[in-house]
Every structure is written in structure tokens, then in C-alpha cells.
Amino acid sequence: MAKDKIQAIKGMADMLPTDTPYWDKFTEAATEAARDYGYMQIRTPILEQTRLFKRGIGEVTDIVEKEMYSFVDSLNGDELTMRPENTASVVRACIEHNLLYDAPKRLWYMGPMFRHERPQRGRFRQFHQFGLEALGFKGPDVDAEQLLLVNRIWKKLGIKHVWLELNCLGQLDERKLYREALIKYFEANKEILDEEAQRRLYSNPLRILDTKNPDMQELVENAPKLIDYLGEESKAFLNRLEEILTAEGIQYKINTRLVRGLDYYNLTVFEWVTDKLGAQSTICGGGRYDPLIGILGGKETPACGFAMGIERIIDLMKEEGVSPAYKECSVYLAWSGSDTYLYSLNIAEKLRDRKVSTILHSGSSKFANQMKRADAAGAEYAVIIGESEVQDNTVTIKPLREHLEDYGTQLKLPVEEALNYLAEHNK
Ligand code: ATP
Ligand code: MG
């Protein structure tokens, strides 16, 4: 009897070898950029106590209200949650290890996050984020630094269809005044509010501005604007940030409706958006969160950060045609004939010693088939070994790609020379 097949959990995607070159390209660009600006990596556990996220993200947020993978550990009764984002954990770790005692810290992280959402394009239940946190900086210089860093990642990846939207949330007292005005405005238009907005009217009215409901767009377009409620200091903060961005040629749009999902943001909030991915158009979001470290029990410390969704970025790379080459190896070693295997294996090992990635063909098949495999593997060179090569202690080298300067030639070289040649051409 055939056994039924076990499938992956809904919304949790496999990343297949055809996709990993995109993943590698992203990782390289992002970690290089982080290094260029002096950010160091931090890794925190996937599981944390549920109350960390409840406190650190806020009870009246999409994430805490309905998206968390929370459970009780049946072995000891602990209430645990699989991290839906990484900022709260990073802050927890910094407080726990007293990382901020001597100097501010620039940190980056990358890894899987978990949210119980309806799976669709750009929205998964396990997805991956790359993000930065700068803790102990008042800004706005560091807010700008992070935006320059993000822009550098887009450049490294060759992504063009993306723009920056910026807003200033001011401080809590400014938001309080605005909140009251907003509640009044929405109360006067109660019949247009959908169920979610009605529920949030008094608990988190700013989030109503973020609605994706088309029937409410006009209403939120005409709502009072937070920017009109900012005091002088907040305005000056935003102006300085704009000055720095302009000086460095970073284009942006002020979006007065941008409030972001998490409670703890103040002053700067931003999103990088694209028009190439349909509904899930935000590929990076972040801002300043000066209150958070205090909320989580540390000493009040200003901080800012962002997170980008790697799946959405990879989708965008595909949309924009910035495809990394599929490449299993640099050299595919094709061999045939009696007593040629050990000779070939020895050559393959010597190539690997020289850091030339090499696949040694496995199994016996015709040279023609082996050459097809070499092509499919994305190899730059085929090394061909038959009985004659073994006899005169040589190898034959065949360049496979048109972009190679030696394309169209075929060389038969003594072993040592051949190894040097390949090492030289695979730098
Ligand atoms: P959205 O409004 O799309 O739900 P969000 O405000 O919940 O986004 P953040 O918490 O700011 O998102 O996370 C930062 C980034 O992580 C997003 O801009 C997006 O690129 C990515 N992201 C968030 N949720 C998901 C998900 N479920 N699947 C894939 N990527 C996601
Ligand atoms: Mg969300």
C-alpha cells in the first residue's frame, strides 16, 4: 500500500537550490553593507517568553492580536512564542547582557520569523528578515545612516523600482493631541469605518490610517495629519534628517499616513516600497523606538532600526531581472576509460586544494552526457580525462562559457600547469 506523502506546513516555504543563489546574493549584499557601516551581527533564539512580545510590540497590534505562534510548553508550562520579529529579542539580549553599558551598539541580524497570517504572494507564516538596530543613538544622523545603508543594499542588488516613504511620529505627548483629533474625526464618520477600524477607534486609532480597505481610502486621505501636531523639536528632527538625505542624494516622499504597525515607534518612521509586487509592496520598514528599551526594563536609551523581508526582495530581484547565475561548481570533471577514475579523483582533490569548486562526475556515462551535465551545472570549465591523458600525465581543459576570454580553445596541459591555469582563471 502506498503511503501518503507528508507535506510542508502551509505558509512555510522550502527554499530550493534554484532559489539559493538569490538568497546568497542578498546575504552577501546585506552583510557587506552592514560591515561597511560597522554593524556587528547578533543572533537570538527563535523561542522567547510570550510576554516579551506582548510588552515589546504592544497588545493592540496585528502581530500580538492575531499573528503569534504561541503555545504552552507541555513539559514545564512555560508560555512561549516563536519570534514574529527580532527587535524585542535584540533589546532583551542587550539588557540581559548589559551590552550598552560602555558605548552605543550597531547590530544586525538575519533569520526566520513566524506569523500566523493568510499565506499569499509576499506573505508567509515562516519568512526571513534582515535588520539593523542602532542602540544608544539620539539621531537623526544614525536614522540617516541606516537609510543610506539600505539604499546601498538596493544598489548592490541592482534593484531600481523602489522608493523611500518617510514620516515623523513625533513624541508621545504630541501623538496624544493628534490621537484625540483623529478619534473626533473618525467618530464623525463612524458609518464609513469597517469592523476592524471600529474596534481600534479608541485603542489604536493611528492604525486606522494604515488600512488597506479601498472603501476607507478617501476617509483616511482627508483625516487630520500628524505632521500638523508636531512641536518644534520634532519638526527640527525631521528637517535635519531630510537635509542629510538630500545632501547624499537619497530621494524620498513624505507620507503623512505612514504610522507602522508597532506601538513603540517615535519620531522617524519609514518604509521602502515598490510597485512591482502587487499588494505586498513594502520590502523594508523601520524607524526610531526610543521608548522600547525602557519598556522592556532597561535604562531609557534612544534607538532606531529596520527590518526587510527577504522573500519579497528576492521576488523583486526576479521581477527586475537581476538574476544571479545558477552555478553548482566552477569545474566539471568528465572522465572515462579504464583506470582513469583514481587519476581524475586526484586532479579533482588538487583543484579543491586550490579553492576551485569541482564536481567529479559520478558513475559511468558517455563524454557527451557528461558534457551536458557540466553545462546544466553552470560550470565554467570542463576538465576532460581519458586514457591518453592518464598516459602522458596531462589534462584537457575546455572553457564552456562565451564570456570567458579563452572560450573556443581547448587545451591539453601537463597536470601542474593545468591546475595553475584553472586556479588562475577561477579567481
Ligand atoms: P505588512 O503591512 O506587509 O503586514 P508589517 O508592517 O507587518 O508588513 P514589519 O513587521 O514591519 O511588517 O516587517 C518588516 C518587513 O518584513 C515587511 O516590510 C515585509 O517586507 C516583511 N514581512 C512582514 N510580514 C511578512 C510575512 N508574513 N511574509 C513575508 N514577509 C513579511
Ligand atoms: Mg503585518
Side-chain angles (χ1 to χ4, degrees), residues 19-233:
D19 267 342
T20 43
Y22 288 91
W23 184 266
D24 287 346
K25 187 169 174 171
F26 172 81
T27 306
E28 199 182 304
T31 55
E32 245 178 43
R35 203 179 43 237
D36 289 346
Y37 289 78
Y39 283 72
M40 294 292 287
Q41 189 182 16
I42 181 164
R43 296 190 194 196
T44 63
I46 304 275
L47 283 181
E48 296 274 359
Q49 298 198 47
T50 300
R51 60 203 180 91
L52 171 69
F53 301 116
K54 283 195 177 161
R55 216 199 291 171
I57 296 173
E59 298 268 2
V60 194
T61 54
D62 280 349
I63 294 180
V64 172
E65 275 183 346
K66 55 187 184 198
E67 295 175 359
M68 292 210 300
Y69 278 94
S70 299
F71 58 93
V72 176
D73 183 339
S74 61
L75 299 175
N76 61 6
D78 285 352
E79 288 183 24
L80 305 177
T81 293
M82 293 170 73
R83 63 180 188 195
E85 54 98 50
N86 210 177
T87 303
S89 317
V90 168
V91 169
R92 192 238 348 108
C94 286
I95 298 170
E96 192 167 331
H97 303 287
N98 204 14
L99 284 194
L100 303 174
Y101 81 99
D102 58 343
K105 290 281 175 296
R106 288 180 166 84
L107 304 171
W108 68 267
Y109 62 81
M110 186 164 66
M113 309 296 157
F114 302 84
R115 297 185 194 176
H116 199 106
E117 303 197 66
R118 191 168 68 77
Q120 54 193 290
R121 184 179 183 188
R123 205 173 279 291
F124 305 93
R125 290 180 174 176
Q126 174 174 333
F127 62 101
H128 296 78
Q129 288 183 334
F130 169 84
L132 299 190
E133 314 293 356
L135 306 118
F137 299 92
K138 280 207 298 275
D141 54 342
V142 173
D143 312 41
E145 167 184 292
Q146 295 192 340
L147 292 167
L148 292 174
L149 192 160
V150 174
N151 193 54
R152 200 174 282 263
I153 295 177
W154 308 147
K155 272 205 226 143
K156 283 178 194 278
L157 293 175
I159 287 177
K160 296 201 176 73
H161 289 89
V162 61
W163 66 88
L164 171 62
E165 300 202 344
L166 195 62
N167 194 15
C168 181
L169 292 184
Q171 303 293 7
L172 203 61
D173 49 339
E174 294 158 340
R175 269 205 313 276
K176 254 191 202 138
L177 287 179
Y178 174 64
R179 207 185 120 98
E180 283 161 22
L182 203 56
I183 291 178
K184 260 200 204 118
Y185 171 79
F186 284 134
E187 273 176 338
N189 293 281
K190 225 169 181 172
E191 68 288 349
I192 310 176
L193 298 181
D194 62 16
E195 198 190 317
E196 190 182 62
Q198 300 224 7
R199 199 160 41 81
R200 287 182 165 164
L201 180 53
Y202 301 102
S203 57
N204 199 348
L206 269 69
R207 278 310 304 271
I208 300 177
L209 298 173
D210 215 17
T211 179
K212 286 170 183 130
N213 182 349
D215 299 334
M216 286 174 52
Q217 291 310 309
E218 205 185 312
L219 181 70
V220 293
E221 265 330 317
N222 297 321
K225 297 197 175 9
L226 176 51
I227 230 157
D228 298 327
Y229 289 76
L230 298 181
E232 288 311 314
E233 261 183 55

Side-chain angles (χ1 to χ4, degrees), residues 261-330:
L262 312 187
D263 271 357
Y264 51 65
Y265 283 102
N266 69 323
L267 293 170
T268 312
V269 283
F270 61 83
E271 288 189 348
W272 292 83
V273 231
T274 176
D275 54 4
K276 296 266 170 204
L277 295 180
Q280 270 54 255
S281 55
T282 304
I283 56 174
C284 173
R288 183 155 280 284
Y289 51 90
D290 298 340
L292 181 64
I293 301 174
I295 290 172
L296 289 177
K299 190 171 132 244
E300 292 263 324
T301 310
C304 64
F306 68 75
M308 45 178 75
I310 304 178
E311 282 81 0
R312 290 187 196 173
I313 292 167
I314 286 174
D315 199 357
L316 183 57
M317 286 163 74
K318 290 179 183 168
E319 285 292 330
E320 295 211 18
V322 286
S323 312
Y326 179 83
K327 185 175 154 185
E328 294 170 16
C329 60
S330 298

